[in-house]
Amino acid sequence: MAAHSFTRTPQTVPFVQTAHRRIQTTIPTPGTEAILEQLDRFESRSMHGQLPLVWDRAEDFSVFDSAGNRWIDFTSTIFVANVGHSNPRVTAAIKTMLDKPIFSCYAYGNETRAKYLEKLVNFAGKPFEKAFLLSAGTEATEAALKLMRMQGQKQNKRRRGIICIEGNWHGRTLGAQMMSSNLGQREWIGYQDTDIHHIPFPYPWVLNGLSPEAFLDEGLSKLTAAGIDIAQDICGFMLETFQGWGAVFYPVEFVQSIERICRKNGILLAFDEMQAGFGRTGRAFGFQHYDVTPDLICCGKGMGGGVSLSGVLGRAEIMDLPDVGNMSSTHSANPLVCAAGLAVIEEIESKNLVAETARKGDLLFTALGELQVHYPNRIDKLLGRGLIAAVLFRHPETGEADGAFTSRVAELCMQKGLLVVHTGRESIKIGPPLTITDAALLEGVDVLGEAIAEVAAQ
Ligand SMILES: Cc1ncc(COP(=O)(O)O)c(C=O)c1O
């Protein structure tokens, strides 16, 4: 998260009133500062750094504060509210459980849990046969790490190696941080698991005319030169479906080559679908863009429609590697989250949200493309697919990534009634609820354009 600190002092900003936005007070709203100070005082600062907006309620694609201001939400609380904030079907499903009443039953059987798991596995389709539910995304990537290692150990005691991709990110617990390549974030560990390796990410701007396959070979040959035998030492590849900060997808050939290596050598292929799953990219799961078949997928965020639900899915023979009781968690799969998860999939299916997201994604990228034509010396790149987009900004003179400009644009968007994802880097991410109307989506892009124009003129 960004070190950038946004002003908490209420600013007088223009009044806004449209069908989707309302800004009728100073921004931040009076009272915001006191609540943020209370949080500063009693909560670890590691949670902080976002735009100074105190959410009071959120419905569908709108966020409201207690003063009645209303924002178009381009964040989905970082890609959680895929089916819309406080989705009525999800709310009703949770209420049914509360009224039963049942909150939790740990590993005892529960009808809703059984129904949900069947629905989830069918939603994911072949080759997925079983799932294991958890609460946080980082637990899901840790579980995949464990399953890949268990499979490797079953085949051959040497097979402990996991290959990950530089710049990818998988969560904040120990194994997840070791698989991530944010060196600063994993400094606290004090050592790196020598069997977790990283190869370079094939950013379009580093390929330098090299084919994606040759780029992969180059990355792998560095591992081989360091004494790693891919066929003997590696049990898994872990790929973030697209690289988060910039919604950067891999060239298809890169991922397909990895899949071929996995198949040839009995290596498991896992995708971290945290941001990409549940319709976000215009496919049910983001890996489908690469036309490959993973062995494991790690899901979370949009999976629960706003409640803490994550999970790993895979073939039965992999998912059943841990013995009875050796992969469970107290709060995982409780009836409340299972009811919510079931309602999320029903909502995606009944509203045809996967195809709708692909359609709206075309609208979004066309509108963003027009913005780029207006600001070619500011907007460096537009990346993403479906309803996940990243706008990368550069300095007009140096051409360098311009994080400061980006933060000012994000702040001005907030003052105008649009909430975007502030990454702390040179990118603004756009990921509205998949239920957003075309009109609100396009209005949001117009607001982004206004903000770019005003910050550029300052
Ligand atoms: C790609 C990816 N993997 C893993 C995680 C970790 O998920 P959680 O924050 O739920 O632990 C995130 C969260 O941002 C993510 O974006």
Side-chain angles (χ1 to χ4, degrees):
M1 185 48 59
H4 182 89
S5 72
F6 298 103
T7 180
R8 291 180 177 183
T9 312
Q11 308 287 305
T12 302
V13 298
F15 180 82
V16 177
Q17 176 71 63
T18 73
H20 308 109
R21 291 175 293 142
R22 182 166 55 249
I23 297 294
Q24 57 188 16
T25 64
T26 51
I27 299 292
T29 310
T32 298
E33 202 168 5
I35 293 170
L36 295 182
E37 273 170 14
Q38 193 177 9
L39 286 169
D40 282 348
R41 199 156 156 230
F42 296 107
E43 183 177 58
S44 159
R45 66 174 183 171
S46 66
M47 277 285 287
H48 304 162
Q50 256 314 343
L51 290 154
L53 201 175
V54 174
W55 292 33
D56 187 52
R57 64 194 174 90
E59 276 175 58
D60 204 359
F61 55 84
S62 301
V63 171
F64 300 83
D65 70 7
S66 58
N69 295 311
R70 178 184 179 186
W71 285 264
I72 294 175
D73 181 27
F74 269 9
T75 74
S76 304
T77 2
I78 321 288
F79 325 121
V80 168
N82 287 16
V83 295
H85 291 287
S86 318
N87 177 285
R89 190 192 293 257
V90 176
T91 306
I94 296 171
K95 277 190 179 152
T96 304
M97 288 297 140
L98 294 175
D99 289 343
K100 253 183 189 301
I102 182 163
F103 286 24
S104 78
C105 60
Y106 191 31
Y108 292 96
N110 172 264
E111 192 183 351
T112 303
R113 179 162 119 231
K115 256 194 196 163
Y116 175 50
L117 281 156
E118 182 171 356
K119 184 86 183 170
L120 176 65
V121 165
N122 289 335
F123 177 70
K126 290 270 165 241
F128 305 105
E129 294 167 330
K130 287 195 169 193
F132 167 54
L133 301 180
L134 287 147
S135 309
T138 197
E139 294 173 297
T141 54
E142 293 270 348
L145 168 62
K146 178 168 173 175
L147 290 168
M148 290 191 283
R149 282 252 162 108
M150 288 185 89
Q151 172 72 353
Q153 291 294 289
K154 196 173 123 186
Q155 293 168 324
N156 149 15
K157 288 291 168 204
R158 267 180 69 174
R159 270 199 195 243
R160 293 186 299 268
I162 311 269
I163 300 182
C164 310
I165 312 289
E166 284 172 11
N168 281 5
W169 198 79
H170 301 291
R172 289 190 175 81
T173 49
L174 192 118
Q177 295 227 299
M178 287 196 181
M179 291 192 291
S180 306
S181 71
N182 186 318
L183 302 182
Q185 274 186 12
R186 68 173 197 227
E187 215 174 53
W188 63 274
I189 303 175
Y191 70 98
Q192 170 68 7
D193 182 324
T194 52
D195 291 305
I196 296 183
H197 316 288
H198 290 87
I199 57 171
F201 189 101
Y203 300 105
W205 52 92
V206 305
L207 279 177
N208 257 339
L210 215 56
S211 74
E213 293 93 332
F215 186 83
L216 175 65
D217 283 348
E218 241 182 47
L220 292 176
S221 62
K222 291 204 179 111
L223 298 187
T224 315
I228 293 148
D229 180 339
I230 305 287
Q232 294 288 322
D233 296 327
I234 303 299
C235 60
F237 268 87
M238 170 63 104
L239 306 186
E240 191 178 352
T241 304
F242 56 79
Q243 195 161 97
W245 68 274
V248 202
F249 282 72
Y250 313 82
V252 170
E253 302 84 349
F254 183 85
V255 179
Q256 291 186 347
S257 295
I258 289 179
E259 188 193 38
R260 274 196 295 278
I261 293 168
C262 288
R263 297 298 159 247
K264 185 169 161 214
N265 298 295
I267 296 169
L268 295 183
L269 174 58
F271 276 78
D272 177 344
E273 284 274 329
M274 226 56 67
Q275 297 194 17
F278 294 85
R280 171 60 59 193
T281 68
R283 306 294 290 265
F285 292 94
F287 73 79
Q288 292 165 342
H289 290 286
Y290 302 115
D291 203 13
V292 294
T293 308
D295 297 290
L296 293 168
I297 51 174
C298 311
C299 306
K301 292 193 182 276
M303 185 180 191
V307 302
S308 36
L309 174 61
S310 69
V312 188
L313 287 89
R315 281 180 284 112
E317 68 174 295
I318 311 294
M319 298 306 294
D320 282 336
L321 282 168
D323 216 338
V324 171
N326 190 19
M327 203 164 75
S328 73
S329 175
T330 304
H331 293 297
S332 71
N334 71 62
L336 286 181
V337 300
C338 288
L342 185 58
V344 165
I345 298 180
E346 287 168 355
E347 194 69 353
I348 289 174
E349 290 178 340
S350 72
K351 291 203 173 135
N352 203 15
L353 282 183
V354 175
E356 269 296 280
T357 301
R359 184 189 65 75
K360 288 178 205 175
D362 289 343
L363 276 184
L364 172 65
F365 279 92
T366 303
L368 290 174
E370 284 162 15
L371 270 193
Q372 192 178 24
V373 170
H374 270 87
Y375 305 102
N377 61 352
R378 289 285 182 180
I379 299 182
D380 188 18
K381 292 183 182 61
L382 295 176
L383 300 169
R385 248 170 235 180
L387 285 178
I388 177 82
V391 184
L392 274 56
F393 292 96
R394 68 168 162 224
H395 194 279
E397 276 114 46
T398 64
E400 298 288 312
D402 196 344
F405 180 84
T406 311
S407 295
R408 290 210 306 282
V409 171
E411 187 166 31
L412 195 55
C413 284
M414 177 189 68
Q415 294 176 353
K416 290 173 173 290
L418 172 72
L419 206 51
V420 296
V421 179
H422 171 242
T423 64
R425 299 186 47 151
E426 69 274 28
S427 56
I428 273 181
K429 269 175 86 180
I430 296 174
L434 312 182
T435 51
I436 193 168
T437 60
D438 295 0
L441 183 66
L442 296 178
E443 182 175 325
V445 177
D446 285 346
V447 177
L448 177 63
E450 281 173 29
I452 294 169
E454 286 174 37
V455 178
Q458 273 166 15

